[in-house]
Amino acid sequence: MRPSLLDPLFASPSSLPGIGPKNAQLLDRLLGGAEHPARVLDVLMHLPYDGVDRRNRPTIAQAPIGAVSTIKVRVAEHRPPRAKGPYRVLTEDGTGDLTLIFFRANSGWVEKALPVGATRWVSGLVEIFDYYKQMVHPDRILDEEGLKTLPPVEPVYGLTEGLFPRVMAKAAAGALARLPVLPEWLDENFVRANGWASFGEALARVHEPQAPDDLKPESNFFARLAYDELLSHQLALRLVRRKMQVLSGRPQPGDGALRAKILAALPFALTGDQTQALAEISADQGSDKRMLRLLQGDVGSGKTVVALLAMAQAIEAGRQAALMAPTEILARQHFDTIKPLAEAAGLTVALATGRDKATERRATLAALASGALNIVVGTHALVQDDFVYHDLGLAVIDEQHRFGVQQRLALGEKGVGVDVLAMTATPIPRTLALAYFGDMDFSALREKPPGRQPITTRTVNAERIDEVVAGLGRALKDGARVYWVCPLVAESEESDLAAAEARAEDLRKFFGDKVGLVHGQMKGRDKDAAMEAFAAGETKILVATTVIEVGVNVPEATIMVIEHAERFGLAQLHQLRGRVGRGDKKSSCILLYAGPVGETAKARLEILRQTEDGFRIAEEDLRLRGEGEILGLRQSGAPGFKIARLDIHADLLRFARDDAEKFLADDPDLRGERGQKLRLLLYLFERDTALKLLRAG
């Protein structure tokens, strides 16, 4: 049960003073979600991202141009508008004049706010027009009493249409008043050493900043709150992991016979990284604890083969294995890679997607339930209720950041003590891996399989597109195959699609029916047909949207053209480039950009030219863009952080990880005095799923 101390924070924002039904609805639109409507807690955790400094109190003569000033003036004269001009109010002090400008103003309101002869404080941006100082629409017009309530720094919040800044500020002030006095859950020496305030004081100082620096993510106040969030996350990850391991696994040592047959059927030797990863995975499978491991592999590093060998070990132990991928294209591709190797070892494999005919599906389900089927590869269909496994031993989840934690665990719950191997082709910087997947062990594949050629990467101005097309013509005569990727023009699939269709049409003028097209709005069957025509060489140029970003494998493709490369993130560009260079022929990637290019985009393109190391690229991407974009969290709905910024608070993450580990070693069920306080922290940052597991276990 949630401690009653926190109940006021879980009430609706409509319970806050001055927040009526309409504004409560707007706050809900801004801060609510599918799981629950907005609550007072959400208002508290919605921190300002900037602030307006109202501390500068100069005379008119001293007021700096282009900056916000709060100035004491006497109202000298009103000049109502002529025709469609603005309403002007002339004000003065002993040092000069300041004209206040109001467009489309209510003259009655202006006269009431600024009576002639009265003294007022006006706060806003001071500008020069026709050699005179002016302030257009002052942010604040106050008398002496009102001045006492003016915050030194006014917080600026993210808003939604119809929600005014003052309403948000009022809601935040009301939410702060509801915050109970909370006990200190951090080690007091640690708090003192960092010069931190308490959680409540830090929250109040960010919502009511005294100086602009209070609002910087690097400030002590932000750092305190970020640490609390990171600690809650690390505690929750560890509690979930321990629960999974307590539901102990079943040792699956295997005798190596099937693995030996698969290795014999491979046309190449494993890389050192693959061998190392397999040793780590095999040791996990052989132990009596459930495996929960993340296999990171750069594009084309051979993750599928590692996964197949791990599946073979589970099958040697008399169990079954399943591989779940986020898209049909990816599932089909894994199936195509796995099937011949598995069959060489005498294993049965089936593909299960949402498009299966009823008879195929029934046959797959029957074979799974009877144990006749060793391996099933598919999309999230694999976690549906009618998929009953005879004895699932290993669940492999590909591109696992595209699935939420629930889906990730759901496949693992399709059997008793199922080992879980998650895979990603997005190299994740260690900081992010610890933050998001700290409940997992890690293995990384950095080496490319033997025979892979390096990819030459060039940046070309889009004005030279005719030269690029002419170059493609020459390459096609030599048997090349080409991907041409069109970007998302705006936040809509339609414009993405229109760009790809227009480019395909344009290229067909030169290359006729050698040009194919694939995009996200095509039916699965048509998409597969377009991919298959390209893989078979029936089409030589495949124009695509980013639907081909992950997992498409056509070793004959040696040229990748990325149009408007400046619009893509680094990790995405790296993923796309990884679609070529998969065979033994020399490959190239052409980044077409439309100038002038901003500094960040320029840095991205330059890094891509310099290196093919996905892990270095991921570190740079984190520095340039922030964690959500790299992991695809913006799209996937996986839980990001509200306060912590991993590009800034990485050091705090390491401390939080150690703190959580040490603490749970001493008090694994959070029963002690500090454990009870930490339970409050888990509720505040909504990591209470971990507490439910404690109760269940």
Side-chain angles (χ1 to χ4, degrees):
M1 289 290 288
R2 183 175 65 227
S4 57
L5 177 71
L6 300 180
D7 285 350
L9 302 182
F10 287 83
S12 162
S14 61
S15 65
L16 296 171
I19 304 297
K22 184 185 168 204
N23 283 325
Q25 215 170 1
L26 292 169
L27 284 167
D28 189 40
R29 189 200 299 166
L30 177 67
L31 304 172
E35 304 80 32
H36 54 72
R39 300 141 318 166
V40 172
L41 179 66
D42 301 305
V43 175
L44 264 184
M45 296 298 189
H46 184 60
L47 301 185
Y49 65 88
D50 202 355
V52 180
D53 191 350
R54 302 227 181 259
R55 296 173 304 167
N56 190 23
R57 309 271 167 95
T59 62
I60 291 173
Q62 293 169 331
I65 306 304
V68 171
S69 291
T70 304
I71 308 171
K72 187 178 187 177
V73 298
R74 192 181 71 79
V75 181
E77 186 187 338
H78 279 240
R79 291 186 180 169
R82 291 191 189 129
K84 291 184 179 177
Y87 194 119
R88 289 181 166 81
V89 178
L90 306 187
T91 70
E92 60 192 19
D93 64 5
T95 69
D97 304 327
L98 178 71
T99 306
L100 308 181
I101 306 286
F102 300 90
F103 291 98
R104 291 199 294 275
N106 176 325
S107 54
W109 176 85
V110 177
E111 286 161 15
K112 190 175 173 187
L114 293 157
V116 174
T119 298
R120 290 288 183 268
W121 287 85
V122 292
S123 188
L125 190 69
V126 178
E127 299 168 304
I128 286 276
F129 183 73
D130 269 357
Y131 306 106
Y132 290 99
K133 283 188 174 177
Q134 66 174 31
M135 192 183 280
V136 178
H137 288 280
D139 302 328
R140 297 284 178 271
I141 300 169
L142 307 160
D143 57 15
E144 290 292 340
E145 277 306 300
L147 184 71
K148 291 174 188 171
T149 65
L150 182 71
V153 177
E154 198 172 315
V156 178
Y157 294 92
L159 300 169
T160 187
E161 191 181 350
L163 185 65
F164 294 106
R166 286 189 208 186
V167 173
M168 189 67 230
K170 186 182 280 185
L176 277 173
R178 291 279 176 88
L179 184 67
V181 176
L182 296 164
E184 180 55 82
W185 44 69
L186 298 186
D187 177 80
E188 289 185 5
N189 293 328
F190 182 62
V191 173
R192 209 174 301 117
N194 282 293
W196 286 348
S198 70
F199 174 80
E201 288 164 345
L203 206 49
R205 188 60 173 266
V206 173
H207 280 294
E208 296 170 352
Q210 301 304 300
D213 282 358
D214 294 349
L215 289 168
K216 289 184 175 167
E218 301 87 347
S219 79
N220 271 355
F221 303 105
F222 248 99
R224 163 70 213 235
L225 300 173
Y227 187 80
D228 286 325
E229 183 172 31
L230 292 168
L231 178 61
S232 72
H233 187 64
Q234 291 296 309
L235 281 167
L237 282 174
R238 267 153 195 72
L239 289 167
V240 169
R241 180 188 175 85
R242 202 182 72 231
K243 175 69 178 177
M244 282 196 73
Q245 291 185 329
V246 167
L247 300 166
S248 61
R250 297 177 297 163
Q252 307 186 82
D255 60 8
L258 294 173
R259 282 170 283 174
K261 288 179 184 173
I262 291 168
L263 287 168
L266 281 176
F268 50 79
L270 296 181
T271 64
D273 281 356
Q274 285 175 312
T275 306
Q276 172 68 27
L278 276 167
E280 292 164 353
I281 292 164
S282 181
D284 285 355
Q285 288 179 283
S287 88
D288 59 359
K289 287 188 172 169
R290 279 180 82 176
M291 172 168 76
L292 191 53
R293 183 170 285 276
L294 177 66
L295 177 64
Q296 293 190 71
D298 210 344
V299 241
S301 57
K303 292 183 300 299
T304 310
V305 167
V306 171
L308 173 59
L309 288 161
M311 291 192 246
Q313 181 166 336
I315 297 158
E316 286 166 4
R319 311 222 165 91
Q320 292 167 302
L323 189 160
M324 180 167 77
T327 64
E328 269 185 42
I329 285 183
L330 207 41
R332 191 171 294 280
Q333 193 160 299
H334 282 306
F335 177 71
D336 291 342
T337 305
I338 285 169
K339 191 169 187 272
L341 294 167
E343 287 178 348
L347 299 177
T348 52
V349 192
L351 178 68
T353 70
R355 284 200 292 128
D356 294 344
K357 294 192 176 101
T359 48
E360 290 170 345
R361 189 180 174 94
R362 275 198 298 275
T364 301
L365 292 175
L368 258 188
S370 71
L373 186 58
N374 302 125
I375 298 171
V376 63
V377 179
T379 55
H380 55 268
L382 300 186
V383 298
Q384 288 169 358
D385 291 344
D386 55 348
F387 273 77
V388 177
Y389 297 78
H390 177 67
D391 186 3
L392 185 63
L394 174 65
V396 181
I397 298 160
D398 192 30
E399 288 307 317
Q400 64 100 44
H401 63 271
R402 297 193 175 197
F403 298 105
V405 175
Q406 270 64 35
Q407 281 174 304
R408 193 166 96 200
L409 297 176
L411 186 56
E413 285 162 5
K414 283 284 190 177
V416 178
V418 178
D419 285 332
V420 176
L421 176 66
M423 306 196 295
T424 177
T426 306
I428 301 165
R430 184 157 178 76
T431 321
L432 294 190
L434 289 179
Y436 287 97
F437 312 119
D439 54 335
M440 295 183 164
D441 296 310
F442 303 108
S443 297
L445 305 179
R446 289 170 178 266
E447 296 173 76
K448 294 266 173 89
R452 287 278 167 92
Q453 297 283 332
I455 302 166
T456 307
T457 303
R458 290 186 295 132
T459 51
V460 178
N461 193 305
E463 289 171 1
R464 293 170 54 202
I465 196 166
D466 292 349
E467 294 172 38
V468 172
V469 172
L472 293 188
R474 292 190 294 275
L476 291 189
K477 282 178 187 158
D478 294 336
R481 253 174 264 173
V482 182
Y483 289 109
W484 187 301
V485 177
C486 295
L488 196 62
V489 177
E491 292 300 315
S492 82
E493 287 182 355
E494 284 74 18
S495 49
D496 181 0
L497 170 58
E501 285 180 329
R503 179 57 63 211
E505 206 45 55
D506 194 46
L507 289 171
R508 281 187 188 121
K509 291 173 192 165
F510 299 92
F511 306 113
D513 56 9
K514 287 180 184 169
V515 180
L517 173 67
V518 66
H519 56 77
Q521 291 183 353
M522 289 165 90
K523 288 182 177 155
R525 195 172 285 109
D526 298 338
K527 215 183 283 181
D528 288 348
M531 290 303 311
E532 279 157 20
F534 182 62
E538 291 161 25
T539 55
K540 304 291 185 187
I541 299 177
L542 184 64
V543 178
T545 57
T546 53
V547 73
I548 63 142
E549 178 187 341
V550 172
V552 176
N553 187 29
V554 180
E556 296 79 7
T558 54
I559 299 172
M560 166 65 72
V561 180
I562 304 174
E563 204 169 338
H564 280 295
E566 77 280 1
R567 291 184 188 162
F568 292 93
L570 244 182
Q572 198 176 27
L573 286 169
H574 178 62
Q575 288 283 345
L576 289 167
R577 176 172 64 179
R579 299 302 106 220
V580 297
R582 302 174 79 86
D584 52 8
K585 292 198 179 79
K586 207 162 169 30
S587 293
S588 57
C589 175
I590 297 162
L591 304 172
L592 281 175
Y593 66 90
V597 173
E599 285 307 310
T600 303
K602 199 182 288 178
R604 267 188 226 133
L605 299 180
E606 188 49 41
I607 291 156
L608 217 67
R609 278 183 52 209
Q610 288 171 10
T611 183
E612 281 185 63
D613 180 347
F615 288 87
R616 185 186 154 203
I617 284 168
E619 292 287 356
E620 291 293 337
D621 209 14
L622 171 61
R623 192 174 61 76
L624 292 170
R625 296 207 304 166
E627 72 273 8
E629 302 289 347
I630 293 173
L631 291 168
L633 298 180
R634 303 272 182 268
Q635 292 77 34
S636 74
F641 293 114
K642 291 177 182 172
I643 298 168
R645 289 264 309 272
L646 296 182
D647 47 337
I648 291 168
H649 301 125
D651 289 345
L652 294 181
L653 173 61
R654 282 186 274 278
F655 282 120
R657 183 179 164 82
D658 292 346
D659 193 5
E661 222 154 65
K662 282 182 197 144
F663 183 76
L664 289 174
D666 296 335
D667 184 5
D669 295 321
L670 303 182
R671 293 189 192 281
E673 189 188 344
R674 189 180 170 207
Q676 294 297 329
K677 294 172 184 175
L678 285 167
R679 285 172 178 253
L680 291 172
L681 175 70
L682 289 169
Y683 277 110
L684 281 168
F685 283 100
E686 301 186 86
R687 309 289 186 198
D688 42 313
T689 306
L691 293 174
K692 288 176 191 146
L693 286 177
L694 271 185
R695 288 200 297 278

